[in-house]
C-alpha cells in the first residue's frame, strides 16, 4: 500500500519534516500553490501527484511539473496533457477519477462514460493509465468493484487510489493500493 502525503495548505517546513520522516510522494490540489513547492524542493527526489480538478488552461504546467495525475475525468483534458507532456520526461502516470453519484459538484467521470475515456487513453503515448481514483466514500465499493472487473478484462492497471485521513480504513478493506493522507500526516491545514 502506497501513501501519498497531501501537502495542500502546508508550509515548506512541514513538508521538509514529512520528507525527513520518509515521505517521497506528495499530492497537491491547486497548481498555483504547488508550483513554488515543486521548485523549492526540486533537489529532493520526490514524486508529485496532482489530485485536484483540472482546468484546461492549467494542463501545460501540470504536464510539465507533475509525475502523476490522479483526477483525470475528461477526454479533452487527457488529449491536452498528452500533447503537452515533454518528450524528455517519462509518460505521465494517470488515474481516472470516478464519480457515479448525484454529487455533480464533485469531480469525476460517471461509469457510463468510462469506456470512451479508457479507449482514448490507450492511444495517447505520453500518458500511462495506472488505474482508478475516488474521493467519495459512499462510492468506494463501486469503484473497487469496477477496478477489479477492469483487471479481469485484461487491463494492465495496478492502482486503486481511495481513502483519505477520515476513511482510509474502509478504503483499505476494499482493496485500495494507494491512500491520500493530509490531516493524518500534517495535522489541520493552516487557515482552517
Amino acid at each position: 500500500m502506497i501513501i501519498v502525503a497531501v501537502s495542500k495548505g502546508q508550509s515548506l517546513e512541514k513538508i521538509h519534516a514529512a520528507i525527513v520522516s520518509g515521505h517521497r510522494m506528495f499530492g497537491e490540489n491547486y497548481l498555483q500553490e504547488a508550483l513554488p513547492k515543486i521548485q523549492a524542493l526540486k533537489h529532493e527526489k520526490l514524486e508529485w501527484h496532482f489530485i485536484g480538478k483540472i482546468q484546461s488552461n492549467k494542463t501545460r504546467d501540470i504536464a510539465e511539473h507533475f509525475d502523476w495525475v490522479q483526477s483525470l475525468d475528461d477526454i479533452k483534458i487527457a488529449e491536452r496533457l498528452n500533447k503537452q507532456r515533454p518528450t524528455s520526461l517519462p509518460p505521465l502516470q494517470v488515474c481516472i477519477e470516478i464519480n457515479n453519484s448525484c454529487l455533480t459538484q464533485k469531480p469525476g467521470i460517471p461509469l457510463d462514460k468510462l469506456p470512451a475515456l479508457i479507449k482514448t487513453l490507450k492511444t495517447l503515448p505520453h500518458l500511462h493509465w495506472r488505474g482508478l481514483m475516488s474521493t467519495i466514500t459512499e462510492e468506494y465499493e463501486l469503484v473497487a468493484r469496477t477496478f477489479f472487473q477492469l483487471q479481469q478484462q485484461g487491463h494492465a492497471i495496478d492502482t486503486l487510489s481511495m481513502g483519505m485521513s477520515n476513511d482510509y480504513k474502509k478504503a483499505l478493506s476494499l482493496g485500495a493500493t494507494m491512500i491520500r493522507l493530509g490531516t493524518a500526516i500534517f495535522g489541520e491545514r493552516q487557515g482552517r
Side-chain angles (χ1 to χ4, degrees):
M1 186 263 307
I2 297 166
I3 296 173
V4 175
V6 178
S7 49
K8 71 175 181 182
Q10 302 298 337
S11 67
L12 283 174
E13 291 74 24
K14 284 194 170 187
I15 296 172
H16 273 295
I19 293 168
V20 169
S21 297
H23 291 286
R24 310 310 293 168
M25 300 176 197
F26 291 88
E28 289 284 337
N29 290 60
Y30 306 110
L31 186 64
Q32 292 92 329
E33 180 186 340
L35 291 179
K37 293 176 185 177
I38 293 170
Q39 179 65 24
L41 298 167
K42 66 182 178 184
H43 60 284
E44 303 278 357
K45 292 189 176 179
L46 303 178
E47 189 174 276
W48 291 96
H49 293 236
F50 192 81
I51 59 176
K53 178 70 176 160
I54 305 169
Q55 298 172 333
S56 58
N57 64 338
K58 307 281 173 66
T59 54
R60 181 173 302 281
D61 279 330
I62 292 170
E64 291 176 354
H65 294 97
F66 284 83
D67 304 291
W68 281 71
V69 168
Q70 293 200 29
S71 49
L72 184 62
D73 64 0
D74 182 84
I75 289 173
K76 288 182 180 162
I77 294 291
E79 291 169 341
R80 288 178 65 91
L81 289 169
N82 179 71
K83 182 179 179 183
Q84 295 167 340
R85 181 69 170 175
T87 55
S88 59
L89 295 176
L92 187 61
Q93 310 299 298
V94 299
C95 288
I96 298 172
E97 183 173 4
I98 303 294
N99 174 358
N100 208 51
S101 72
C102 58
L103 301 171
T104 53
Q105 74 277 17
K106 294 268 189 184
I109 189 170
L111 282 182
D112 62 342
K113 297 193 175 180
L114 182 61
L117 181 51
I118 292 171
K119 184 176 178 184
T120 299
L121 281 176
K122 301 250 181 195
T123 70
L124 303 176
H126 303 297
L127 303 184
H128 179 196
W129 178 42
R130 296 292 298 272
L132 303 180
M133 187 266 255
S134 179
T135 61
I136 303 170
T137 308
E138 295 76 26
E139 295 223 339
Y140 285 176
E141 288 185 33
L142 173 68
V143 175
R145 195 165 51 249
T146 302
F147 174 78
F148 294 118
Q149 286 170 351
L150 289 167
Q151 282 185 322
Q152 290 170 351
Q153 292 166 12
H155 295 286
I157 54 175
D158 60 6
T159 304
L160 179 56
S161 179
M162 300 189 311
M164 296 169 280
S165 293
N166 62 336
D167 62 10
Y168 70 90
K169 289 180 182 175
K170 176 177 182 180
L172 290 173
S173 74
L174 294 168
T177 63
M178 181 180 286
I179 58 175
R180 305 174 308 276
L181 304 180
T183 305
I185 293 172
F186 296 104
E188 291 294 325
R189 288 193 301 272
Q190 297 170 351
R192 283 184 82 185

